[in-house]
Amino acid sequence: MAKSDVKKVVLAYSGGLDTSIILKWLQTTYGCEVVTFTADLGQGEELEPARHKALLLGIKPENIFIEDLREEFVRDYVFPMFRANAVYEGQYLLGTSIARPLIGKKQIEIAEKVGADAVCHGATGKGNDQVRFELAYYALKPDVKVIAPWREWDLTSRTKLIEFAEQHQIPIAKDKRGEAPFSTDANLLHTSSEGKVLEDPSQDVPDYVYSRTVNPEDAPDRATFITVDFERGDAVAVDGVKLTPAALLAKLNDLGRENGIGRLDLVENRYVGMKSRGMYETPGGTILLAAHRGIEQITLDRGAAHLKDELMPKYAELVYNGFWFAPEREMLQAAIDKSQEFVTGRVRLKLYKGNVSVVGRESPYSLYDQELVTFEEGAVAYDQHDAQGFIKLNALRLRTLGQRKKRMGK
Amino acid sequence: MAKSDVKKVVLAYSGGLDTSIILKWLQTTYGCEVVTFTADLGQGEELEPARHKALLLGIKPENIFIEDLREEFVRDYVFPMFRANAVYEGQYLLGTSIARPLIGKKQIEIAEKVGADAVCHGATGKGNDQVRFELAYYALKPDVKVIAPWREWDLTSRTKLIEFAEQHQIPIAKDKRGEAPFSTDANLLHTSSEGKVLEDPSQDVPDYVYSRTVNPEDAPDRATFITVDFERGDAVAVDGVKLTPAALLAKLNDLGRENGIGRLDLVENRYVGMKSRGMYETPGGTILLAAHRGIEQITLDRGAAHLKDELMPKYAELVYNGFWFAPEREMLQAAIDKSQEFVTGRVRLKLYKGNVSVVGRESPYSLYDQELVTFEEGAVAYDQHDAQGFIKLNALRLRTLGQRKKRMGK
Amino acid sequence: MAKSDVKKVVLAYSGGLDTSIILKWLQTTYGCEVVTFTADLGQGEELEPARHKALLLGIKPENIFIEDLREEFVRDYVFPMFRANAVYEGQYLLGTSIARPLIGKKQIEIAEKVGADAVCHGATGKGNDQVRFELAYYALKPDVKVIAPWREWDLTSRTKLIEFAEQHQIPIAKDKRGEAPFSTDANLLHTSSEGKVLEDPSQDVPDYVYSRTVNPEDAPDRATFITVDFERGDAVAVDGVKLTPAALLAKLNDLGRENGIGRLDLVENRYVGMKSRGMYETPGGTILLAAHRGIEQITLDRGAAHLKDELMPKYAELVYNGFWFAPEREMLQAAIDKSQEFVTGRVRLKLYKGNVSVVGRESPYSLYDQELVTFEEGAVAYDQHDAQGFIKLNALRLRTLGQRKKRMGK
Amino acid sequence: MAKSDVKKVVLAYSGGLDTSIILKWLQTTYGCEVVTFTADLGQGEELEPARHKALLLGIKPENIFIEDLREEFVRDYVFPMFRANAVYEGQYLLGTSIARPLIGKKQIEIAEKVGADAVCHGATGKGNDQVRFELAYYALKPDVKVIAPWREWDLTSRTKLIEFAEQHQIPIAKDKRGEAPFSTDANLLHTSSEGKVLEDPSQDVPDYVYSRTVNPEDAPDRATFITVDFERGDAVAVDGVKLTPAALLAKLNDLGRENGIGRLDLVENRYVGMKSRGMYETPGGTILLAAHRGIEQITLDRGAAHLKDELMPKYAELVYNGFWFAPEREMLQAAIDKSQEFVTGRVRLKLYKGNVSVVGRESPYSLYDQELVTFEEGAVAYDQHDAQGFIKLNALRLRTLGQRKKRMGK
């Protein structure tokens, strides 16, 4: 792409040093108008400093977009994903993966609004996030131009970056001058850390890497018991108090943090082909997953439950790889959502030093119900004698196989 | 089946009251010769009393079979299943399910040896175990006659059972006269409890139900760190000490028990059609699963890992439903075993008050290796510019879809 | 079930000899009021004789229900199934399987209307249809009583049946006195034949068994070319003429019949456990499947198409086994229907002596479109250089595996 | 990659104009030693002219490798794939896809032997074949350099290619001067055609594109009946005559060709992201697939058969995408091969004007056997009364769901 082709670009801008460098680099290299988009996804940072800094770097006020996406994020991305009990490679709750499509979608919406022809993100060239951003961009605006500075520029070392910042009067916080011992991504669902001190998978994660949860050892010596209420597969209340999606997840985050819940040390397979080691803290999400599985236990039929379990790995892989806006993710979502109609009720959980356990579940729609097993006037639906026929017909093909083996002398 | 048809029956005999009643009932109702089979699967009970009791009940010495199956159980059943990371309905480690096929197989082997035409088990008519036993019987000896007393007799209450026992001089331990508050199954992999006090899934499991693990609250205040070594997908050593399969699982059980690991309170879907609530304690198995996933993280390729994850729910369902000896389980096992060739190495785990976490992994076969990512003379295998092509081709179909939407004005 | 328990039963009544015998047997054995339900699913028989015969056998006029279900059958059962491209065991188009749930549903609706407590079908005890009927009954009216005469009565030979008919003044057509050389089921989608002369799977199907299609050898020597139009996954027109679902399928049946299309000689696996050999004629359905796949080729995205292909065997198995009203079938349907939004367009097919081939497809929603591959101002969406990055990142894990092998000297 | 880095390259060389141009281009552009590899995969061309031409173009005799791979191709690639009944997107028999890994593997073997550091293929930058070749290369020799001229050079038109050829004294056959109306790939399994005259998917394939089969209209007016014998899932004889794998496939090709069998007009989804329209002729393979499904019908258990059907789309996708040497393909192959132990017997087929139908199957290992259904002393294994229990337990969860709906007033 010829650099002069780009007229106006919407940059996913955090206000931090790296995206500020990108901002300036876009101005100087592409010579294009830069529109910044800063989103609150619950990463726990103030947004107004980003506005201030954008202005300082020469962005026109009308080109600065700041939005609080926390409710949309949890309601339309996190919750649908949790309906699927999605877990990547058996363990990862997909906290970073699920945020990228939303940011990408907002950038595209702004691009359409301001007439920008390009979008830009700050993800590196070795990770999954570049894929997730760009698949979202391309799906929603097929003719968009995508600028991925980390794959393009020659600022290939910390020193060069700092030099560039200094040359362009970009303010540099003191602790940003050296290499960070690890890098971090955070939103309302999780905080992830990777790189440097985490790169040897045989070595434990240093204590100082954790930021969202207390050590299980430091958590209270007494268990905390809570309830989570669900309606149609989504959590709606904690301890009986109705909460909006984002407020609910924030509440679970607090509970999880205090009780040392949701830490994960993982070596995972990136979509771009290599293995990487990461540390995740997903305090509220870990509780939410346990709670959702708890309410499904009594409200979901076996056929539906097993189909969900079979579809889940594929669903999780799609989210991880960045295919949120792909038809096959939407198909799976349709199947999953169909199953959640009666996933309504209350789960009681015990939180204790890193553990979250379901200790009770009840629902007006429970399929586990003494009354239910009885159908009419004392007649019991389950006749033990039926088991014989059930077994014998299920065994028939195995017996036939056994006969063949015998016949063959095997 | 006409009762006079049965000449000789091999009974799965625990030596306890219930199977002693069955033994006597077989003699009196079927008038057939009874052969007893008592197996040690690590349930933690002496076997010799069973021999004594069988003799007492009139079984000929040559008709009493007692066998220590612990090593075979772990080596040929538990370990292959753990290669699959098998978990039923997201949580249950299949401790009961995996033991039944082996018991069934041994009964059939004895039946072939002693020329018995029938086999008999003590599983009830509402549970999964009857299915698991009988599918094993039928698969391995298609013409066998199966006697399932609980589906046949009229001893439908505790009182009638006790009466029958008294009539037939069967010794009754004092604590067996009343209804048990819950029923239990145990082997080297787990202890399960269900029934009565556990039947209300909204109520917590009473403390006295647990027998294999200490309360997390009562576990040591300091974490225990251990290593588990794997070879080709199977655990072979703990803390560097080589152990046989059964000894290794016993060791992990000790470690899990002390640290309050492996408790599970679950409402699950039975194969026979209803939901049931159970409590499981799988101390060693819970550690083993975490460890196995840990070593797979660095030794298993992504394609293999994801395929395993997709196949797992089906595999677990087959084991749960009793289809261990079915061709489709064997096919899945072949695929899984194929993946384990290089699943060799050491995992370090932290055990702490109910938690088990992988904190380190290393392997001579690691696919996560700094050196590996570099291929030759300093040339790096991963070129960031490749990411652009990767993304653009993956995006192509999404762009085409996006164009269609735009064309359609959607 | 005590026979005196049944007060009123809704019988699936064809008007033929067998269900007439059942009708009388219900009256004499159960002493209950019998309600007959006769449905037109396109089996090609007059329904009024069934009314006449029911009256003759003592059924009250208000207890005789006759309904033309052809449109509902094709619209709500056949078409949704074809959206899935459902084929059982690679070949069978599920013509019988798909009709049973609808008949069952109608029986239950009538039972609710007339206050009947029981339903009855004429399917044998060795087949799949009993399962399909009864799963529908139980799903829709959990407390219903089910009477399955062929599993209950002692009319176990043709002779006994004829005797019973004669005793009860049931008219017997001459050709019904002996054993039929094969048995048949027919509806608008297909005709199936099985039994007797078909039981040796090494022997060809005798010519006289075919009734719905001409021999390919006797079909016209010139190909017939037709078009089928689709809207959102359902066929809506043949040769440009809009037709209702049933009329459309009938039209395709005519075309298929004349051109010798849709014969299938199959050994299949029944849900009840044994293999059976059947012969199917599905003339219109065979054309419809080819046409649907044809239009999907250009309107369905790859991700959606591959997911559909992966889900299909499970979907087909559910339909075959009788789980139409199960949540997991509805979940899969939701996923499939989601994919069909743009499956709209025209397919041209060549019909020739047993062959049906797609020879052209076009659609306003085509994803195969020269224009589409180009996005704007002459910029081409596909850059060949992207392929290198695509391949290299896809190869990365394979290279890493290759390095490991080399390191290991393998 | 710096061009001077390449010392010696192994080129997949057909002897035709295009790969001759590549050969010369490698010499002139990379200045490296060129090793040619020409393989007979049954494409129906003489190989010696390729040797002659290579010599003419300055290749040293010891650098010319020519190998007849037909037996290896069919035995180790085609047959394993047919064990899986692999069909891509419901229809394509993967004739091109399956040949690429073998060619790639041989190039790498030669590279290892002659000490070459690079390999080169003549596949274009828009197709799947480049992926298939290169994934094979990278999997088998991770440090290999890959040269893909069509993605690199500036010979972007027919005119430029011809000019280059003329400049370098490469002989040009007269019919190669202009653009071909379509391009073709052929091997023992199939011939594929695509491009130009085939690019409009609404237009029929012109008659002159077909080269491997007669028109069904021109095929004999009488059916041909043949038998195919299988051993452990692989075809071993036609009409009772034992044949080697390649000879057998050639024989089936002859039979298919004469009877107009195996034509396919398809719009498919390429791995690189776009749809393409192709025409395939797979005469023998089409017969082989039908025959294999036929023998599986009586020798494969239902559980195994259904699992195979569920795994097949993924297997086919892997082969299509070029992941033959990936662990997940090998895992699936292990599962599939496990199922084929008893897939032995004889299938009788009718070939008639484009149709291939199974009309008989028999096997010493048949699971469809009158005797088999009976187990001992006249006792029948199947008791119709068992069906009731089977249905009632399968219905239990549906009844529970029905009760819930009723309770909820839905």
Side-chain angles (χ1 to χ4, degrees), chain D residues 262-404:
Chain D
R263 295 182 170 190
L264 173 65
D265 169 355
L266 183 70
V267 177
E268 79 201 41
N269 294 290
R270 287 197 185 149
Y271 186 34
V272 290
M274 81 282 279
K275 287 183 182 288
S276 77
R277 198 264 193 100
M279 192 283 296
Y280 300 104
E281 292 174 274
T282 320
T286 303
I287 299 172
L288 188 58
L289 177 64
H292 186 255
R293 278 214 170 264
I295 193 65
E296 283 195 342
Q297 283 172 16
I298 57 168
T299 57
L300 211 61
D301 165 69
R302 183 184 72 202
H306 289 202
L307 179 56
K308 282 192 70 197
D309 281 350
E310 284 185 36
L311 299 179
M312 188 277 281
K314 172 128 193 126
Y315 180 96
E317 186 183 71
L318 288 168
V319 174
Y320 184 86
N321 290 352
F323 289 87
W324 182 261
F325 295 112
E328 63 272 31
R329 203 278 309 171
E330 293 170 349
M331 287 171 65
L332 290 174
Q333 194 73 56
I336 288 156
D337 289 356
K338 178 83 188 163
S339 75
Q340 301 291 296
E341 188 179 355
F342 295 105
V343 178
T344 293
R346 172 167 292 184
V347 177
R348 214 159 63 88
L349 301 124
K350 176 186 172 186
L351 316 179
Y352 174 67
K353 282 186 184 287
N355 299 281
V356 50
S357 336
V358 172
V359 297
R361 5 33 205 145
E362 52 192 309
S363 166
Y365 302 100
S366 180
L367 297 167
Y368 181 104
D369 186 346
Q370 291 304 92
E371 281 174 58
L372 257 185
V373 227
T374 310
F375 285 109
E376 32 142 19
E377 307 112 311
V380 171
Y382 189 92
D383 180 344
Q384 304 211 30
H385 296 99
D386 290 337
Q388 176 175 317
F390 179 75
I391 295 169
K392 289 191 84 169
L393 262 53
N394 273 303
L396 186 55
R397 65 184 181 94
L398 303 181
R399 294 174 81 179
T400 308
L401 286 164
Q403 287 291 110
R404 177 168 76 180

Side-chain angles (χ1 to χ4, degrees), chain C residues 136-362:
Chain C
Y137 299 155
Y138 285 128
L140 300 174
K141 187 173 164 61
D143 61 350
V144 76
K145 289 163 195 147
V146 174
I147 303 175
W150 289 96
R151 296 200 306 256
E152 297 182 23
W153 66 23
D154 52 2
L155 305 177
T156 49
S157 67
R158 200 74 209 157
T159 317
K160 285 188 188 168
L161 281 168
I162 298 296
E163 271 175 31
F164 182 92
E166 285 172 340
Q167 276 167 23
H168 294 88
Q169 286 78 46
I170 301 171
I172 308 171
K174 277 212 179 110
D175 63 338
K176 297 291 180 187
R177 291 206 163 255
E179 290 269 15
F182 59 92
S183 71
T184 278
D185 174 66
N187 61 45
L188 202 50
L189 181 54
H190 93 340
T191 296
S192 72
S193 303
E194 59 178 20
K196 293 267 177 312
V197 300
L198 297 172
E199 278 185 359
D200 181 348
S202 73
Q203 296 303 309
D204 203 344
V205 174
D207 248 18
Y208 60 82
V209 175
Y210 297 103
S211 64
R212 281 281 278 270
T213 51
V214 306
N215 247 320
E217 284 87 341
D218 301 331
D221 288 329
R222 292 192 144 227
T224 305
F225 289 85
I226 63 167
T227 63
V228 179
D229 294 354
F230 285 86
E231 278 175 17
R232 298 177 158 261
D234 293 338
V236 295
V238 174
D239 285 335
V241 181
K242 290 255 171 194
L243 292 166
T244 63
L248 187 142
L249 185 51
K251 175 69 183 168
L252 293 183
N253 278 335
D254 289 344
L255 288 160
R257 174 204 313 260
E258 290 157 20
N259 288 289
I261 287 165
R263 293 182 170 190
L264 174 65
D265 169 355
L266 184 71
V267 176
E268 81 201 40
N269 293 290
R270 286 194 186 154
Y271 188 35
V272 292
M274 81 282 280
K275 286 182 183 291
S276 77
R277 198 268 191 99
M279 191 285 296
Y280 300 104
E281 292 174 276
T282 320
T286 302
I287 299 172
L288 188 57
L289 176 64
H292 186 256
R293 278 212 171 265
I295 192 64
E296 284 195 341
Q297 283 172 18
I298 55 168
T299 57
L300 212 60
D301 164 70
R302 183 185 72 200
H306 289 202
L307 180 56
K308 282 193 68 198
D309 280 351
E310 283 185 37
L311 299 179
M312 187 277 280
K314 172 126 194 132
Y315 180 96
E317 186 184 73
L318 287 169
V319 173
Y320 185 86
N321 290 355
F323 288 87
W324 183 262
F325 296 111
E328 63 272 32
R329 202 279 307 170
E330 293 169 348
M331 287 171 65
L332 291 174
Q333 193 73 56
I336 289 156
D337 289 357
K338 178 84 189 160
S339 74
Q340 300 291 296
E341 188 179 354
F342 294 105
V343 179
T344 293
R346 172 167 292 185
V347 177
R348 213 159 64 86
L349 301 123
K350 175 186 171 186
L351 316 179
Y352 174 68
K353 284 188 182 288
N355 298 283
V356 50
S357 336
V358 172
V359 296
R361 10 24 207 148
E362 52 191 309

Side-chain angles (χ1 to χ4, degrees), chain C residues 11 13 15-29 53 57 149-150 153 155 157-158 160-166 168 170-172:
Chain C
L11 167 67
Y13 183 61
L17 178 60
D18 285 10
T19 51
S20 295
I21 291 173
I22 289 175
L23 190 165
K24 197 45 90 179
W25 178 83
L26 286 170
Q27 291 171 329
T28 55
T29 314
K53 205 154 170 195
L57 292 169
W150 289 96
W153 66 23
L155 305 177
S157 67
R158 200 74 209 157
K160 285 188 188 168
L161 281 168
I162 298 296
E163 271 175 31
F164 182 92
E166 285 172 340
H168 294 88
I170 301 171
I172 308 171

Side-chain angles (χ1 to χ4, degrees), chain A residues 128-385:
Chain A
N128 296 302
D129 283 332
Q130 56 179 340
V131 189
R132 295 166 186 151
F133 278 121
E134 297 178 29
L135 291 184
Y137 299 153
Y138 286 128
L140 301 174
K141 185 171 165 63
D143 60 351
V144 77
K145 288 162 196 148
V146 174
I147 303 175
W150 290 96
R151 296 200 306 257
E152 297 183 23
W153 65 24
D154 51 2
L155 305 177
T156 50
S157 68
R158 200 74 209 158
T159 316
K160 287 188 187 165
L161 281 168
I162 297 297
E163 269 175 33
F164 182 93
E166 285 172 343
Q167 277 166 21
H168 294 89
Q169 285 78 46
I170 302 170
I172 310 171
K174 282 219 177 98
D175 63 336
K176 297 290 179 189
R177 291 205 162 255
E179 289 269 17
F182 58 94
S183 71
T184 277
D185 173 66
N187 60 45
L188 202 49
L189 181 53
H190 92 339
T191 295
S192 71
S193 304
E194 59 180 20
K196 294 266 176 313
V197 300
L198 297 172
E199 277 186 0
D200 182 347
S202 74
Q203 296 304 309
D204 203 343
V205 174
D207 248 17
Y208 60 83
V209 176
Y210 297 103
S211 63
R212 281 281 278 269
T213 52
V214 307
N215 247 320
E217 283 86 343
D218 301 331
D221 288 330
R222 292 192 145 226
T224 305
F225 289 84
I226 64 166
T227 63
V228 179
D229 295 353
F230 286 86
E231 277 176 19
R232 297 175 160 264
D234 293 338
V236 294
V238 174
D239 285 335
V241 181
K242 290 255 173 195
L243 293 167
T244 62
L248 187 142
L249 185 51
K251 175 71 182 165
L252 293 182
N253 278 335
D254 289 343
L255 288 160
R257 173 204 315 256
E258 291 157 19
N259 288 288
I261 287 165
R263 295 182 170 190
L264 174 65
D265 169 354
L266 183 71
V267 176
E268 80 200 41
N269 294 289
R270 287 197 186 150
Y271 187 35
V272 291
M274 81 282 279
K275 286 183 184 289
S276 77
R277 197 265 193 100
M279 191 283 297
Y280 300 104
E281 292 174 274
T282 320
T286 302
I287 299 172
L288 188 58
L289 176 65
H292 186 255
R293 278 214 170 264
I295 192 65
E296 283 196 340
Q297 282 172 17
I298 56 168
T299 57
L300 211 61
D301 164 70
R302 184 184 71 201
H306 289 201
L307 180 55
K308 282 192 69 197
D309 280 350
E310 284 185 36
L311 299 179
M312 188 278 280
K314 172 130 193 124
Y315 179 97
E317 188 184 69
L318 288 168
V319 173
Y320 185 87
N321 290 353
F323 289 87
W324 182 261
F325 295 112
E328 63 273 32
R329 203 279 310 170
E330 294 169 349
M331 287 171 65
L332 290 174
Q333 194 72 57
I336 288 157
D337 290 356
K338 178 83 190 164
S339 75
Q340 300 292 296
E341 187 179 355
F342 293 105
V343 178
T344 293
R346 172 167 293 185
V347 177
R348 214 159 63 86
L349 301 123
K350 176 185 172 186
L351 315 180
Y352 175 67
K353 283 187 184 287
N355 299 281
V356 49
S357 336
V358 172
V359 296
R361 9 27 208 147
E362 52 191 309
S363 166
Y365 303 101
S366 180
L367 296 167
Y368 181 104
D369 186 345
Q370 291 304 92
E371 281 173 59
L372 256 186
V373 230
T374 309
F375 285 109
E376 30 142 22
E377 308 109 312
V380 170
Y382 188 92
D383 180 345
Q384 304 211 30
H385 297 99

Side-chain angles (χ1 to χ4, degrees), chain D residues 31 45 59 151 168 184 208 236 254 279 302 307 311 354 363:
Chain D
E45 280 167 16
I59 307 301
R151 296 200 305 257
H168 294 88
T184 277
Y208 61 81
V236 294
D254 290 343
M279 192 283 296
R302 183 184 72 202
L307 179 56
L311 299 179
S363 166

